[in-house]
Short mmCIF file of all heavy atoms in Angstrom, two decimals:
data_model
loop_
_atom_site.label_atom_id
_atom_site.label_comp_id
_atom_site.label_asym_id
_atom_site.label_seq_id
_atom_site.Cartn_x
_atom_site.Cartn_y
_atom_site.Cartn_z
N LEU C 290 168.72 -123.80 -83.56
CA LEU C 290 169.76 -123.10 -82.85
C LEU C 290 169.44 -121.61 -82.88
O LEU C 290 169.36 -121.02 -83.95
CB LEU C 290 171.10 -123.38 -83.53
CG LEU C 290 172.35 -122.79 -82.91
CD1 LEU C 290 172.59 -123.36 -81.52
CD2 LEU C 290 173.53 -123.05 -83.79
N PRO C 291 169.23 -121.00 -81.73
CA PRO C 291 168.92 -119.57 -81.70
C PRO C 291 170.09 -118.74 -82.22
O PRO C 291 171.26 -119.03 -81.94
CB PRO C 291 168.68 -119.29 -80.22
CG PRO C 291 168.39 -120.61 -79.61
CD PRO C 291 169.13 -121.62 -80.42
N LEU C 292 169.77 -117.71 -82.98
CA LEU C 292 170.81 -116.87 -83.55
C LEU C 292 171.63 -116.15 -82.49
O LEU C 292 172.80 -115.86 -82.69
CB LEU C 292 170.20 -115.85 -84.51
CG LEU C 292 169.55 -116.41 -85.76
CD1 LEU C 292 168.96 -115.29 -86.59
CD2 LEU C 292 170.54 -117.20 -86.57
N ALA C 293 171.02 -115.87 -81.36
CA ALA C 293 171.72 -115.15 -80.29
C ALA C 293 172.86 -115.97 -79.69
O ALA C 293 173.77 -115.41 -79.08
CB ALA C 293 170.74 -114.76 -79.20
N THR C 294 172.84 -117.29 -79.87
CA THR C 294 173.91 -118.13 -79.32
C THR C 294 175.12 -118.21 -80.24
O THR C 294 176.16 -118.73 -79.83
CB THR C 294 173.40 -119.55 -79.06
OG1 THR C 294 172.98 -120.13 -80.30
CG2 THR C 294 172.24 -119.55 -78.08
N LEU C 295 175.01 -117.70 -81.44
CA LEU C 295 176.11 -117.75 -82.40
C LEU C 295 177.10 -116.63 -82.14
O LEU C 295 176.74 -115.58 -81.60
CB LEU C 295 175.56 -117.64 -83.82
CG LEU C 295 174.62 -118.73 -84.29
CD1 LEU C 295 174.07 -118.39 -85.67
CD2 LEU C 295 175.30 -120.07 -84.31
N PRO C 296 178.36 -116.81 -82.57
CA PRO C 296 179.32 -115.70 -82.48
C PRO C 296 178.88 -114.54 -83.38
O PRO C 296 178.05 -114.71 -84.27
CB PRO C 296 180.63 -116.31 -83.00
CG PRO C 296 180.39 -117.75 -83.20
CD PRO C 296 178.95 -118.02 -83.08
N ASP C 297 179.45 -113.37 -83.14
CA ASP C 297 179.04 -112.17 -83.88
C ASP C 297 179.16 -112.32 -85.38
O ASP C 297 178.27 -111.92 -86.13
CB ASP C 297 179.85 -110.96 -83.41
CG ASP C 297 179.48 -110.54 -82.00
OD1 ASP C 297 178.37 -110.89 -81.56
OD2 ASP C 297 180.31 -109.88 -81.35
N TRP C 298 180.27 -112.92 -85.84
CA TRP C 298 180.47 -113.05 -87.28
C TRP C 298 179.42 -113.99 -87.89
O TRP C 298 178.93 -113.76 -88.98
CB TRP C 298 181.88 -113.54 -87.61
CG TRP C 298 182.16 -114.93 -87.13
CD1 TRP C 298 182.70 -115.30 -85.92
CD2 TRP C 298 181.89 -116.15 -87.82
NE1 TRP C 298 182.78 -116.66 -85.83
CE2 TRP C 298 182.29 -117.22 -86.99
CE3 TRP C 298 181.35 -116.45 -89.07
CZ2 TRP C 298 182.18 -118.55 -87.35
CZ3 TRP C 298 181.23 -117.79 -89.43
CH2 TRP C 298 181.65 -118.82 -88.59
N ALA C 299 179.04 -115.05 -87.16
CA ALA C 299 178.04 -115.98 -87.65
C ALA C 299 176.64 -115.35 -87.62
O ALA C 299 175.81 -115.63 -88.48
CB ALA C 299 178.07 -117.27 -86.84
N GLN C 300 176.39 -114.51 -86.64
CA GLN C 300 175.11 -113.80 -86.58
C GLN C 300 174.96 -112.87 -87.77
O GLN C 300 173.88 -112.74 -88.35
CB GLN C 300 174.98 -113.01 -85.28
CG GLN C 300 174.68 -113.85 -84.08
CD GLN C 300 174.51 -113.00 -82.83
OE1 GLN C 300 174.33 -111.79 -82.91
NE2 GLN C 300 174.57 -113.65 -81.68
N ALA C 301 176.07 -112.21 -88.15
CA ALA C 301 176.03 -111.31 -89.30
C ALA C 301 175.73 -112.07 -90.59
O ALA C 301 174.92 -111.63 -91.41
CB ALA C 301 177.34 -110.56 -89.42
N VAL C 302 176.35 -113.23 -90.75
CA VAL C 302 176.11 -114.05 -91.94
C VAL C 302 174.69 -114.60 -91.92
O VAL C 302 173.97 -114.55 -92.92
CB VAL C 302 177.14 -115.20 -92.03
CG1 VAL C 302 176.77 -116.18 -93.13
CG2 VAL C 302 178.53 -114.64 -92.26
N ALA C 303 174.25 -115.12 -90.78
CA ALA C 303 172.92 -115.72 -90.67
C ALA C 303 171.81 -114.69 -90.86
O ALA C 303 170.72 -115.03 -91.34
CB ALA C 303 172.77 -116.41 -89.32
N SER C 304 172.07 -113.45 -90.52
CA SER C 304 171.03 -112.43 -90.67
C SER C 304 170.79 -112.07 -92.14
O SER C 304 169.73 -111.55 -92.48
CB SER C 304 171.39 -111.18 -89.88
OG SER C 304 172.49 -110.52 -90.45
N ILE C 305 171.74 -112.37 -93.00
CA ILE C 305 171.61 -112.07 -94.43
C ILE C 305 170.97 -113.24 -95.17
O ILE C 305 170.21 -113.04 -96.10
CB ILE C 305 172.99 -111.73 -95.03
CG1 ILE C 305 173.53 -110.46 -94.40
CG2 ILE C 305 172.90 -111.58 -96.54
CD1 ILE C 305 174.95 -110.16 -94.76
N LEU C 306 171.25 -114.47 -94.74
CA LEU C 306 170.74 -115.65 -95.42
C LEU C 306 169.24 -115.82 -95.19
O LEU C 306 168.70 -115.34 -94.19
CB LEU C 306 171.49 -116.89 -94.92
CG LEU C 306 172.99 -116.91 -95.23
CD1 LEU C 306 173.64 -118.12 -94.60
CD2 LEU C 306 173.24 -116.89 -96.72
N PRO C 307 168.56 -116.49 -96.10
CA PRO C 307 167.10 -116.60 -95.98
C PRO C 307 166.62 -117.55 -94.89
O PRO C 307 165.45 -117.56 -94.55
CB PRO C 307 166.67 -117.11 -97.36
CG PRO C 307 167.85 -117.85 -97.87
CD PRO C 307 169.04 -117.10 -97.34
N PHE C 308 167.50 -118.34 -94.31
CA PHE C 308 167.07 -119.36 -93.36
C PHE C 308 166.50 -118.77 -92.08
O PHE C 308 165.54 -119.30 -91.53
CB PHE C 308 168.22 -120.31 -93.05
CG PHE C 308 168.86 -120.88 -94.28
CD1 PHE C 308 170.15 -120.55 -94.64
CD2 PHE C 308 168.13 -121.72 -95.12
CE1 PHE C 308 170.72 -121.05 -95.78
CE2 PHE C 308 168.70 -122.23 -96.27
CZ PHE C 308 170.00 -121.90 -96.60
N GLN C 309 167.07 -117.67 -91.61
CA GLN C 309 166.54 -117.06 -90.40
C GLN C 309 165.16 -116.46 -90.64
O GLN C 309 164.38 -116.31 -89.72
CB GLN C 309 167.52 -116.04 -89.81
CG GLN C 309 167.60 -114.74 -90.56
CD GLN C 309 166.78 -113.64 -89.90
OE1 GLN C 309 166.18 -113.84 -88.86
NE2 GLN C 309 166.76 -112.49 -90.51
N LEU C 310 164.85 -116.16 -91.88
CA LEU C 310 163.55 -115.58 -92.21
C LEU C 310 162.43 -116.62 -92.21
O LEU C 310 161.26 -116.27 -92.14
CB LEU C 310 163.61 -114.89 -93.57
CG LEU C 310 164.54 -113.68 -93.65
CD1 LEU C 310 164.69 -113.23 -95.10
CD2 LEU C 310 164.04 -112.56 -92.79
N THR C 311 162.80 -117.90 -92.27
CA THR C 311 161.76 -118.94 -92.31
C THR C 311 161.25 -119.32 -90.93
O THR C 311 160.11 -119.76 -90.80
CB THR C 311 162.29 -120.21 -93.00
OG1 THR C 311 163.40 -120.71 -92.28
CG2 THR C 311 162.67 -119.93 -94.44
N VAL C 312 162.06 -119.17 -89.90
CA VAL C 312 161.64 -119.56 -88.55
C VAL C 312 161.72 -118.38 -87.58
O VAL C 312 160.75 -118.02 -86.93
CB VAL C 312 162.49 -120.73 -88.03
CG1 VAL C 312 162.13 -121.07 -86.60
CG2 VAL C 312 162.33 -121.94 -88.91
N SER C 313 162.87 -117.78 -87.49
CA SER C 313 163.12 -116.75 -86.48
C SER C 313 162.23 -115.53 -86.68
O SER C 313 161.62 -115.03 -85.73
CB SER C 313 164.59 -116.34 -86.51
OG SER C 313 164.84 -115.36 -85.54
N PHE C 314 162.14 -115.04 -87.89
CA PHE C 314 161.35 -113.84 -88.17
C PHE C 314 159.87 -114.02 -87.86
O PHE C 314 159.29 -113.19 -87.16
CB PHE C 314 161.57 -113.38 -89.62
CG PHE C 314 160.60 -112.34 -90.08
CD1 PHE C 314 160.58 -111.08 -89.50
CD2 PHE C 314 159.70 -112.61 -91.09
CE1 PHE C 314 159.68 -110.11 -89.92
CE2 PHE C 314 158.80 -111.65 -91.52
CZ PHE C 314 158.79 -110.40 -90.93
N PRO C 315 159.22 -115.10 -88.34
CA PRO C 315 157.79 -115.24 -88.01
C PRO C 315 157.53 -115.39 -86.51
O PRO C 315 156.56 -114.83 -85.99
CB PRO C 315 157.37 -116.51 -88.76
CG PRO C 315 158.36 -116.66 -89.84
CD PRO C 315 159.64 -116.11 -89.31
N VAL C 316 158.39 -116.11 -85.82
CA VAL C 316 158.20 -116.28 -84.38
C VAL C 316 158.34 -114.95 -83.66
O VAL C 316 157.51 -114.60 -82.80
CB VAL C 316 159.19 -117.33 -83.82
CG1 VAL C 316 159.21 -117.33 -82.30
CG2 VAL C 316 158.86 -118.70 -84.35
N GLN C 317 159.37 -114.19 -84.00
CA GLN C 317 159.57 -112.89 -83.36
C GLN C 317 158.43 -111.93 -83.69
O GLN C 317 158.01 -111.14 -82.84
CB GLN C 317 160.91 -112.28 -83.78
CG GLN C 317 162.10 -112.99 -83.18
CD GLN C 317 163.41 -112.42 -83.69
OE1 GLN C 317 163.43 -111.65 -84.65
NE2 GLN C 317 164.49 -112.78 -83.04
N ALA C 318 157.94 -112.00 -84.92
CA ALA C 318 156.84 -111.12 -85.32
C ALA C 318 155.56 -111.46 -84.56
O ALA C 318 154.84 -110.57 -84.10
CB ALA C 318 156.60 -111.22 -86.82
N LEU C 319 155.28 -112.76 -84.41
CA LEU C 319 154.08 -113.17 -83.68
C LEU C 319 154.17 -112.88 -82.18
O LEU C 319 153.17 -112.60 -81.53
CB LEU C 319 153.82 -114.66 -83.90
CG LEU C 319 153.35 -115.03 -85.31
CD1 LEU C 319 153.28 -116.55 -85.47
CD2 LEU C 319 152.00 -114.41 -85.61
N MET C 320 155.39 -112.94 -81.66
CA MET C 320 155.57 -112.63 -80.24
C MET C 320 155.57 -111.13 -79.97
O MET C 320 155.48 -110.70 -78.83
CB MET C 320 156.89 -113.24 -79.73
CG MET C 320 156.84 -114.75 -79.65
SD MET C 320 158.41 -115.51 -79.18
CE MET C 320 158.95 -114.53 -77.82
N GLY C 321 155.71 -110.34 -81.02
CA GLY C 321 155.74 -108.89 -80.87
C GLY C 321 157.05 -108.36 -80.36
O GLY C 321 157.12 -107.26 -79.83
N SER C 322 158.12 -109.12 -80.54
CA SER C 322 159.42 -108.69 -80.03
C SER C 322 160.26 -107.94 -81.07
O SER C 322 161.42 -107.65 -80.82
CB SER C 322 160.20 -109.90 -79.50
OG SER C 322 160.44 -110.82 -80.54
N LEU C 323 159.67 -107.65 -82.22
CA LEU C 323 160.39 -106.91 -83.26
C LEU C 323 159.97 -105.44 -83.24
O LEU C 323 158.79 -105.12 -83.11
CB LEU C 323 160.09 -107.48 -84.64
CG LEU C 323 160.72 -108.79 -85.02
CD1 LEU C 323 160.21 -109.23 -86.37
CD2 LEU C 323 162.22 -108.70 -85.05
N ARG C 324 160.97 -104.57 -83.41
CA ARG C 324 160.64 -103.16 -83.62
C ARG C 324 160.09 -103.00 -85.02
O ARG C 324 160.31 -103.86 -85.89
CB ARG C 324 161.89 -102.29 -83.46
CG ARG C 324 162.46 -102.31 -82.06
CD ARG C 324 163.63 -101.37 -81.97
NE ARG C 324 164.45 -101.46 -83.18
CZ ARG C 324 165.76 -101.45 -83.20
NH1 ARG C 324 166.43 -101.34 -82.09
NH2 ARG C 324 166.42 -101.54 -84.32
N THR C 325 159.40 -101.92 -85.28
CA THR C 325 158.80 -101.70 -86.59
C THR C 325 159.85 -101.69 -87.69
O THR C 325 159.65 -102.27 -88.75
CB THR C 325 158.03 -100.35 -86.59
OG1 THR C 325 157.07 -100.39 -85.54
CG2 THR C 325 157.33 -100.12 -87.91
N GLU C 326 161.00 -101.06 -87.43
CA GLU C 326 162.07 -100.99 -88.43
C GLU C 326 162.60 -102.38 -88.75
O GLU C 326 162.86 -102.72 -89.91
CB GLU C 326 163.24 -100.12 -87.95
CG GLU C 326 162.87 -98.71 -87.59
CD GLU C 326 162.41 -98.58 -86.14
OE1 GLU C 326 162.90 -99.30 -85.27
OE2 GLU C 326 161.52 -97.76 -85.90
N ASP C 327 162.77 -103.23 -87.72
CA ASP C 327 163.27 -104.58 -87.94
C ASP C 327 162.24 -105.43 -88.69
O ASP C 327 162.60 -106.25 -89.54
CB ASP C 327 163.60 -105.26 -86.61
CG ASP C 327 164.78 -104.60 -85.92
OD1 ASP C 327 165.62 -104.00 -86.62
OD2 ASP C 327 164.85 -104.68 -84.67
N PHE C 328 160.96 -105.22 -88.37
CA PHE C 328 159.91 -105.96 -89.06
C PHE C 328 159.90 -105.60 -90.54
O PHE C 328 159.86 -106.49 -91.40
CB PHE C 328 158.54 -105.65 -88.44
CG PHE C 328 157.41 -106.34 -89.13
CD1 PHE C 328 157.12 -107.66 -88.83
CD2 PHE C 328 156.65 -105.69 -90.09
CE1 PHE C 328 156.09 -108.33 -89.48
CE2 PHE C 328 155.63 -106.34 -90.73
CZ PHE C 328 155.34 -107.66 -90.44
N VAL C 329 159.94 -104.32 -90.85
CA VAL C 329 159.92 -103.88 -92.25
C VAL C 329 161.16 -104.37 -92.98
O VAL C 329 161.08 -104.87 -94.11
CB VAL C 329 159.78 -102.34 -92.33
CG1 VAL C 329 159.98 -101.85 -93.75
CG2 VAL C 329 158.43 -101.91 -91.79
N ARG C 330 162.33 -104.25 -92.34
CA ARG C 330 163.58 -104.70 -92.97
C ARG C 330 163.52 -106.19 -93.26
O ARG C 330 163.87 -106.64 -94.36
CB ARG C 330 164.78 -104.39 -92.06
CG ARG C 330 166.11 -104.80 -92.67
CD ARG C 330 167.25 -104.59 -91.70
NE ARG C 330 167.11 -105.37 -90.49
CZ ARG C 330 167.46 -106.66 -90.38
NH1 ARG C 330 167.96 -107.29 -91.40
NH2 ARG C 330 167.32 -107.29 -89.23
N SER C 331 163.07 -106.98 -92.31
CA SER C 331 162.99 -108.43 -92.51
C SER C 331 161.96 -108.79 -93.57
O SER C 331 162.17 -109.71 -94.37
CB SER C 331 162.66 -109.13 -91.19
OG SER C 331 163.69 -108.96 -90.27
N TYR C 332 160.85 -108.09 -93.58
CA TYR C 332 159.80 -108.35 -94.56
C TYR C 332 160.31 -108.05 -95.98
O TYR C 332 160.11 -108.85 -96.90
CB TYR C 332 158.56 -107.51 -94.24
CG TYR C 332 157.33 -107.92 -94.99
CD1 TYR C 332 156.64 -109.06 -94.63
CD2 TYR C 332 156.86 -107.17 -96.05
CE1 TYR C 332 155.50 -109.44 -95.32
CE2 TYR C 332 155.74 -107.54 -96.74
CZ TYR C 332 155.05 -108.68 -96.37
OH TYR C 332 153.93 -109.05 -97.05
N VAL C 333 160.97 -106.92 -96.13
CA VAL C 333 161.53 -106.55 -97.44
C VAL C 333 162.62 -107.54 -97.85
O VAL C 333 162.70 -107.96 -99.01
CB VAL C 333 162.08 -105.10 -97.41
CG1 VAL C 333 162.91 -104.79 -98.63
CG2 VAL C 333 160.92 -104.12 -97.27
N MET C 334 163.43 -107.94 -96.89
CA MET C 334 164.50 -108.91 -97.18
C MET C 334 163.91 -110.25 -97.61
O MET C 334 164.43 -110.90 -98.51
CB MET C 334 165.36 -109.09 -95.93
CG MET C 334 166.73 -109.54 -96.18
SD MET C 334 167.61 -109.28 -94.64
CE MET C 334 169.14 -109.98 -95.06
N GLN C 335 162.82 -110.65 -96.96
CA GLN C 335 162.17 -111.89 -97.33
C GLN C 335 161.66 -111.83 -98.78
O GLN C 335 161.84 -112.77 -99.54
CB GLN C 335 161.03 -112.17 -96.37
CG GLN C 335 160.49 -113.56 -96.43
CD GLN C 335 159.54 -113.84 -95.28
OE1 GLN C 335 158.87 -112.94 -94.79
NE2 GLN C 335 159.47 -115.08 -94.86
N TRP C 336 161.03 -110.72 -99.15
CA TRP C 336 160.57 -110.57 -100.53
C TRP C 336 161.72 -110.49 -101.52
O TRP C 336 161.61 -110.98 -102.65
CB TRP C 336 159.64 -109.38 -100.66
CG TRP C 336 158.25 -109.75 -100.29
CD1 TRP C 336 157.60 -109.45 -99.13
CD2 TRP C 336 157.36 -110.56 -101.06
NE1 TRP C 336 156.35 -110.02 -99.14
CE2 TRP C 336 156.17 -110.71 -100.31
CE3 TRP C 336 157.44 -111.17 -102.29
CZ2 TRP C 336 155.09 -111.45 -100.77
CZ3 TRP C 336 156.35 -111.90 -102.75
CH2 TRP C 336 155.20 -112.03 -102.00
N ALA C 337 162.83 -109.90 -101.10
CA ALA C 337 164.00 -109.84 -101.98
C ALA C 337 164.52 -111.25 -102.27
O ALA C 337 164.88 -111.57 -103.41
CB ALA C 337 165.09 -108.98 -101.34
N TRP C 338 164.56 -112.12 -101.24
CA TRP C 338 164.99 -113.50 -101.45
C TRP C 338 164.00 -114.25 -102.33
O TRP C 338 164.41 -115.05 -103.19
CB TRP C 338 165.17 -114.23 -100.12
CG TRP C 338 166.50 -113.97 -99.48
CD1 TRP C 338 166.73 -113.22 -98.37
CD2 TRP C 338 167.77 -114.42 -99.94
NE1 TRP C 338 168.08 -113.19 -98.11
CE2 TRP C 338 168.74 -113.93 -99.05
CE3 TRP C 338 168.18 -115.20 -101.01
CZ2 TRP C 338 170.09 -114.19 -99.20
CZ3 TRP C 338 169.54 -115.47 -101.16
CH2 TRP C 338 170.47 -114.96 -100.26
N ILE C 339 162.73 -114.00 -102.16
CA ILE C 339 161.72 -114.67 -103.00
C ILE C 339 161.92 -114.28 -104.46
O ILE C 339 161.92 -115.14 -105.35
CB ILE C 339 160.30 -114.32 -102.52
CG1 ILE C 339 160.02 -114.99 -101.18
CG2 ILE C 339 159.25 -114.71 -103.56
CD1 ILE C 339 158.76 -114.52 -100.50
N VAL C 340 162.10 -113.00 -104.71
CA VAL C 340 162.32 -112.52 -106.08
C VAL C 340 163.62 -113.07 -106.64
O VAL C 340 163.68 -113.53 -107.80
CB VAL C 340 162.30 -110.98 -106.13
CG1 VAL C 340 162.77 -110.45 -107.47
CG2 VAL C 340 160.91 -110.46 -105.82
N ALA C 341 164.68 -113.07 -105.84
CA ALA C 341 165.99 -113.58 -106.29
C ALA C 341 165.89 -115.06 -106.67
O ALA C 341 166.40 -115.47 -107.73
CB ALA C 341 167.04 -113.37 -105.21
N PHE C 342 165.25 -115.87 -105.83
CA PHE C 342 165.13 -117.29 -106.13
C PHE C 342 164.20 -117.53 -107.32
O PHE C 342 164.41 -118.47 -108.10
CB PHE C 342 164.68 -118.08 -104.91
CG PHE C 342 165.79 -118.37 -103.94
CD1 PHE C 342 165.65 -118.03 -102.62
CD2 PHE C 342 166.97 -118.97 -104.36
CE1 PHE C 342 166.67 -118.29 -101.72
CE2 PHE C 342 167.98 -119.23 -103.47
CZ PHE C 342 167.84 -118.89 -102.14
N ALA C 343 163.16 -116.72 -107.47
CA ALA C 343 162.27 -116.87 -108.62
C ALA C 343 163.02 -116.55 -109.92
O ALA C 343 162.88 -117.28 -110.91
CB ALA C 343 161.07 -115.95 -108.48
N LEU C 344 163.81 -115.49 -109.91
CA LEU C 344 164.60 -115.15 -111.10
C LEU C 344 165.65 -116.21 -111.39
O LEU C 344 165.86 -116.58 -112.55
CB LEU C 344 165.25 -113.78 -110.93
CG LEU C 344 164.30 -112.59 -110.93
CD1 LEU C 344 165.06 -111.30 -110.61
CD2 LEU C 344 163.58 -112.48 -112.25
N LEU C 345 166.31 -116.70 -110.34
CA LEU C 345 167.30 -117.76 -110.53
C LEU C 345 166.64 -119.01 -111.10
O LEU C 345 167.18 -119.64 -112.02
CB LEU C 345 167.99 -118.08 -109.20
CG LEU C 345 169.02 -119.20 -109.24
CD1 LEU C 345 170.20 -118.80 -110.12
CD2 LEU C 345 169.48 -119.53 -107.83
N GLY C 346 165.48 -119.36 -110.59
CA GLY C 346 164.76 -120.52 -111.11
C GLY C 346 164.37 -120.35 -112.56
O GLY C 346 164.47 -121.29 -113.35
N LYS C 347 163.94 -119.15 -112.91
CA LYS C 347 163.56 -118.89 -114.30
C LYS C 347 164.77 -118.99 -115.23
O LYS C 347 164.68 -119.58 -116.32
CB LYS C 347 162.93 -117.50 -114.40
CG LYS C 347 162.37 -117.19 -115.74
CD LYS C 347 161.60 -115.89 -115.74
CE LYS C 347 161.06 -115.65 -117.14
NZ LYS C 347 159.89 -114.83 -117.15
N VAL C 348 165.90 -118.44 -114.82
CA VAL C 348 167.12 -118.51 -115.63
C VAL C 348 167.59 -119.95 -115.79
O VAL C 348 167.90 -120.40 -116.90
CB VAL C 348 168.24 -117.63 -115.01
CG1 VAL C 348 169.58 -117.92 -115.63
CG2 VAL C 348 167.89 -116.16 -115.14
N LEU C 349 167.63 -120.69 -114.69
CA LEU C 349 168.09 -122.08 -114.76
C LEU C 349 167.13 -122.95 -115.58
O LEU C 349 167.57 -123.83 -116.32
CB LEU C 349 168.25 -122.65 -113.35
CG LEU C 349 169.38 -122.04 -112.52
CD1 LEU C 349 169.39 -122.64 -111.13
CD2 LEU C 349 170.72 -122.23 -113.20
N TYR C 350 165.84 -122.70 -115.46
CA TYR C 350 164.86 -123.46 -116.23
C TYR C 350 165.02 -123.19 -117.72
O TYR C 350 165.01 -124.12 -118.54
CB TYR C 350 163.44 -123.10 -115.78
CG TYR C 350 162.37 -123.89 -116.47
CD1 TYR C 350 162.14 -125.21 -116.13
CD2 TYR C 350 161.60 -123.32 -117.46
CE1 TYR C 350 161.16 -125.95 -116.75
CE2 TYR C 350 160.61 -124.04 -118.10
CZ TYR C 350 160.40 -125.36 -117.74
OH TYR C 350 159.43 -126.08 -118.38
N SER C 351 165.21 -121.93 -118.09
CA SER C 351 165.36 -121.61 -119.51
C SER C 351 166.67 -122.18 -120.07
O SER C 351 166.70 -122.65 -121.20
CB SER C 351 165.28 -120.11 -119.76
OG SER C 351 166.36 -119.45 -119.15
N ARG C 352 167.72 -122.15 -119.27
CA ARG C 352 168.98 -122.78 -119.72
C ARG C 352 168.82 -124.28 -119.88
O ARG C 352 169.35 -124.87 -120.82
CB ARG C 352 170.10 -122.50 -118.72
CG ARG C 352 170.71 -121.15 -118.83
CD ARG C 352 171.92 -121.06 -117.97
NE ARG C 352 172.49 -119.73 -118.01
CZ ARG C 352 173.52 -119.35 -117.29
NH1 ARG C 352 174.09 -120.20 -116.47
NH2 ARG C 352 173.97 -118.13 -117.39
N GLY C 353 168.10 -124.88 -118.96
CA GLY C 353 167.87 -126.32 -119.06
C GLY C 353 167.06 -126.69 -120.29
O GLY C 353 167.32 -127.70 -120.93
N LEU C 354 166.06 -125.87 -120.62
CA LEU C 354 165.27 -126.13 -121.82
C LEU C 354 166.10 -126.01 -123.09
O LEU C 354 165.91 -126.76 -124.04
CB LEU C 354 164.08 -125.17 -121.90
CG LEU C 354 162.91 -125.49 -121.00
CD1 LEU C 354 161.82 -124.44 -121.18
CD2 LEU C 354 162.34 -126.86 -121.27
N ARG C 355 167.02 -125.06 -123.10
CA ARG C 355 167.87 -124.89 -124.28
C ARG C 355 168.80 -126.08 -124.47
O ARG C 355 169.14 -126.45 -125.59
CB ARG C 355 168.68 -123.61 -124.19
CG ARG C 355 167.92 -122.39 -124.64
CD ARG C 355 168.79 -121.18 -124.73
NE ARG C 355 168.90 -120.65 -123.38
CZ ARG C 355 169.93 -119.99 -122.89
NH1 ARG C 355 170.97 -119.76 -123.65
NH2 ARG C 355 169.95 -119.55 -121.66
N GLN C 356 169.25 -126.68 -123.38
CA GLN C 356 170.20 -127.79 -123.48
C GLN C 356 169.52 -129.15 -123.57
O GLN C 356 170.16 -130.14 -123.89
CB GLN C 356 171.14 -127.79 -122.26
CG GLN C 356 172.10 -126.63 -122.26
CD GLN C 356 173.05 -126.68 -121.08
OE1 GLN C 356 172.92 -127.52 -120.20
NE2 GLN C 356 174.01 -125.79 -121.07
N TYR C 357 168.23 -129.20 -123.32
CA TYR C 357 167.52 -130.46 -123.33
C TYR C 357 167.38 -131.01 -124.73
O TYR C 357 167.04 -130.30 -125.67
CB TYR C 357 166.12 -130.29 -122.72
CG TYR C 357 165.28 -131.52 -122.79
CD1 TYR C 357 165.51 -132.60 -121.95
CD2 TYR C 357 164.26 -131.62 -123.73
CE1 TYR C 357 164.76 -133.75 -122.03
CE2 TYR C 357 163.48 -132.75 -123.82
CZ TYR C 357 163.74 -133.82 -122.97
OH TYR C 357 162.99 -134.94 -123.05
N THR C 358 167.68 -132.28 -124.85
CA THR C 358 167.43 -132.98 -126.12
C THR C 358 166.62 -134.23 -125.80
O THR C 358 166.98 -135.01 -124.93
CB THR C 358 168.74 -133.38 -126.82
OG1 THR C 358 169.51 -134.18 -125.93
CG2 THR C 358 169.54 -132.17 -127.23
N GLY C 359 165.52 -134.37 -126.47
CA GLY C 359 164.65 -135.51 -126.24
C GLY C 359 164.81 -136.54 -127.33
O GLY C 359 165.19 -136.24 -128.47
N PHE C 360 164.51 -137.78 -126.99
CA PHE C 360 164.60 -138.85 -127.95
C PHE C 360 163.43 -139.78 -127.73
O PHE C 360 163.07 -140.09 -126.60
CB PHE C 360 165.92 -139.63 -127.78
CG PHE C 360 166.11 -140.72 -128.76
CD1 PHE C 360 166.50 -140.43 -130.05
CD2 PHE C 360 165.88 -142.03 -128.41
CE1 PHE C 360 166.66 -141.45 -130.98
CE2 PHE C 360 166.04 -143.04 -129.32
CZ PHE C 360 166.44 -142.76 -130.62
N GLY C 361 162.82 -140.18 -128.76
CA GLY C 361 161.72 -141.14 -128.66
C GLY C 361 160.40 -140.53 -129.09
O GLY C 361 160.35 -139.51 -129.76
N ASN C 362 159.34 -141.17 -128.70
CA ASN C 362 158.01 -140.72 -129.13
C ASN C 362 157.63 -139.52 -128.36
O ASN C 362 157.13 -139.16 -127.55
CB ASN C 362 157.00 -141.84 -128.99
CG ASN C 362 157.32 -142.96 -129.97
OD1 ASN C 362 158.01 -142.73 -130.94
ND2 ASN C 362 156.83 -144.14 -129.70
#
């Protein structure tokens, strides 16, 4: 679903979430339809989501290890 077809409030939400960065951003970048400022903003935003999910994964993994109890050999 193209982001341009969404209502304004949904476009604002979708532009913050990482999902538009997986399809829309690469396609627009390859087509050359992004301004330099938009490209840099999207690229930085993509790295911010990568770092956020990596930190979240590390926190959840360490919590899981603390709560894990094994039994058996």
Side-chain angles (χ1 to χ4, degrees):
L290 182 64
L292 294 178
T294 62
L295 298 174
D297 290 338
W298 65 269
Q300 285 182 16
V302 171
S304 69
I305 296 171
L306 296 176
F308 308 113
Q309 75 100 2
L310 295 171
T311 60
V312 176
S313 181
F314 168 65
V316 169
Q317 289 177 348
L319 289 173
M320 290 176 46
S322 62
L323 285 175
R324 295 183 320 220
T325 303
E326 303 87 33
D327 293 334
F328 178 82
V329 171
R330 181 185 61 82
S331 295
Y332 193 75
V333 168
M334 205 167 175
Q335 194 169 30
W336 276 104
W338 277 108
I339 290 170
V340 169
F342 280 127
L344 291 175
L345 178 64
K347 186 172 180 154
V348 167
L349 293 177
Y350 184 75
S351 65
R352 281 189 183 177
L354 283 179
R355 277 188 278 151
Q356 291 182 354
Y357 175 75
T358 56
F360 182 77
N362 294 339

